[in-house]
């Protein structure tokens, strides 16, 4: 009954992209480090795989377990002694996979809200990152004015609609 322990993969999964970006940055920045990694990747113990290919393996593990257990259950007779335990395992791994996916989705949503928060400059910077708030969508709108239309940015959150001039936003997004 390892189901609850497998939820630990959610933390790893949510930080995977940051790990890859950090690895790429250091491979470009430090030739000695890049040489060390290349040497390690050429070792038979690493199956000659690149480090990013190895880093993705834990993320792929839970979906593989889920598929394997579902396939095993499909090919097991309902009268078999292990059928009920196998069925329970399928349900548990489905819960774990769902938990991991939801954790990653929430993490990505929080990162997006922080990124939007950082884009605002000036004397009034709205508090975007607050508990319970979720980012939904952003887009450009044209404000119809007497002289000429003006571009505006709109950010839709679960409890707020934010309307801003593009020149208030920093282009770094």
């Amino acid at each position: 009954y390892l189901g609850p322990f497998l939820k630990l993969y959610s933390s790893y999964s949510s930080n995977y992209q940051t790990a890859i970006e950090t690895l790429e940055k250091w491979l470009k920045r430090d030739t000695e480090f890049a040489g060390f990694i290349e040497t390690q990747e050429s070792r038979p113990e690493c199956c000659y795989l690149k480090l990013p290919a190895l880093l993705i393996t834990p993320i792929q593990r839970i979906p593989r377990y889920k598929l394997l257990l579902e396939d095993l259950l499909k090919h097991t007779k309902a009268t078999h002694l292990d059928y009920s335990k196998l069925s329970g395992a399928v349900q548990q791994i489905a819960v774990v996979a769902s938990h991991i996916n939801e954790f990653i989705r929430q993490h990505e949503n929080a990162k997006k809200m922080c990124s939007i928060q950082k884009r605002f400059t000036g004397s009034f910077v709205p508090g975007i990152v607050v508990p319970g708030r979720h980012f939904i969508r952003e887009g450009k709108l044209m404000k119809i004015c007497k002289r000429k239309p003006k571009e505006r940015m709109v950010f839709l959150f679960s409890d707020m609609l934010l309307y801003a001039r593009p020149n208030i936003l920093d282009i770094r997004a």
Side-chain angles (χ1 to χ4, degrees):
Y1 300 35
L2 295 171
F5 296 105
L6 295 176
K7 290 181 180 179
L8 296 171
Y9 279 94
S10 57
S11 178
Y12 182 90
S13 299
S14 66
N15 289 310
Y16 169 76
Q17 191 59 43
T18 304
I20 292 296
E21 290 167 4
T22 303
L23 174 64
E24 289 173 358
K25 179 174 76 176
W26 279 99
L27 287 172
K28 291 175 185 172
R29 183 184 290 179
D30 188 337
T31 55
E32 187 177 340
F33 175 71
F36 172 78
I37 295 297
E38 189 175 322
T39 301
Q40 301 311 307
E41 290 171 342
S42 66
R43 296 179 63 170
E45 299 94 309
C46 296
C47 300
Y48 307 101
L49 291 171
K50 301 287 184 195
L51 184 54
L54 294 170
L55 290 173
I56 193 78
T57 304
I59 293 172
Q60 296 169 334
R61 189 167 289 142
I62 300 299
R64 284 182 184 165
Y65 288 164
K66 185 175 183 280
L67 291 172
L68 173 69
L69 288 171
E70 288 170 345
D71 192 48
L72 191 56
L73 182 66
K74 186 172 86 175
H75 291 89
T76 302
K77 292 181 182 177
T79 57
H80 193 279
L81 291 173
D82 293 331
Y83 186 85
S84 63
K85 288 182 181 178
L86 189 55
S87 178
V90 167
Q91 290 173 353
Q92 243 186 351
I93 200 74
V95 167
V96 169
S98 177
H99 169 80
I100 291 170
N101 289 338
E102 179 61 19
F103 187 89
I104 292 170
R105 189 189 65 71
Q106 288 176 2
H107 180 76
E108 292 299 317
N109 196 288
K111 281 177 40 178
K112 178 68 174 175
M113 289 196 315
C114 287
S115 143
I116 292 169
Q117 178 84 50
K118 289 178 185 173
R119 290 165 61 184
F120 279 86
T121 60
S123 58
F124 174 73
V125 178
I128 294 172
V129 182
V130 297
R133 180 173 290 155
H134 304 286
F135 170 76
I136 298 173
R137 179 171 234 125
E138 74 178 270
K140 295 178 182 177
L141 291 178
M142 295 304 289
K143 178 182 177 184
I144 306 301
C145 300
K146 289 182 181 180
R147 294 186 186 179
K148 66 176 188 171
K150 296 179 182 176
E151 188 176 276
R152 297 290 185 253
M153 288 297 298
V154 178
F155 301 91
L156 179 61
F157 298 92
S158 56
D159 63 342
M160 175 175 72
L161 179 67
L162 193 57
Y163 174 82
R165 292 190 313 258
N167 60 344
I168 289 180
L169 297 173
D170 194 348
I171 306 297
R172 286 182 285 147

